[in-house]
Amino acid sequence: MGIVMHGDVGTTPPLDRTDCLMALEAALRWWGADVPEDPGAGELAQLLDEIVERLSGGRSTEQARSAAELLAQAAEALRAAARLGGLLPAISLWHLRTALRQEAVARGQLAELAASPL
């Protein structure tokens, strides 16, 4: 799969469902999730929900809360893809790519925060 990389976030969307799910698995591992072997979109959405809770917790920063909102949107896109299952593959792929984009933006926000001087 020839994805052009910018930092550690792909700038070209994966071409199929399998590649999207693999990219989302890798992204969730970056966030510290313990991803099971061969997860489906619904399982990935649940893991994202756990990450959202962690980022939204008590003393989180504005950037963390903003990233959590984006990840919540990504989780919703994954739930939509899970509901579709094998029906309407083009729509399901759109939802998976949407989840990837939202995750990439959330990760970028936190990377900017880490790179900015205090």
Side-chain angles (χ1 to χ4, degrees):
M1 172 174 80
I3 294 182
V4 177
M5 299 303 284
H6 176 71
D8 57 346
V9 178
T11 56
T12 302
L15 297 177
D16 65 16
R17 181 180 180 85
T18 301
D19 290 342
C20 279
L21 290 173
M22 288 173 51
L24 285 161
E25 285 178 47
L28 288 176
R29 283 189 185 94
W30 184 91
W31 289 96
D34 185 20
V35 181
E37 188 173 325
D38 197 25
E43 291 170 298
L44 294 174
Q46 289 175 341
L47 291 170
L48 269 176
D49 288 337
E50 292 171 12
I51 295 166
V52 166
E53 281 185 41
R54 192 173 67 223
L55 288 173
S56 304
R59 297 173 62 183
S60 62
T61 64
E62 184 178 329
Q63 289 86 356
R65 286 189 300 275
S66 177
E69 283 183 30
L70 290 164
L71 293 177
Q73 293 170 13
E76 188 54 41
L78 284 171
R79 281 188 279 280
R83 285 190 299 272
L84 286 170
L87 301 173
L88 303 171
I91 304 298
S92 180
L93 184 58
W94 181 85
H95 285 296
L96 292 171
R97 287 179 175 173
T98 296
L100 277 169
R101 280 191 304 275
Q102 298 290 35
E103 184 281 328
V105 172
R107 189 187 316 193
Q109 284 184 350
L110 290 185
E112 285 177 17
L113 174 64
S116 66
L118 295 177

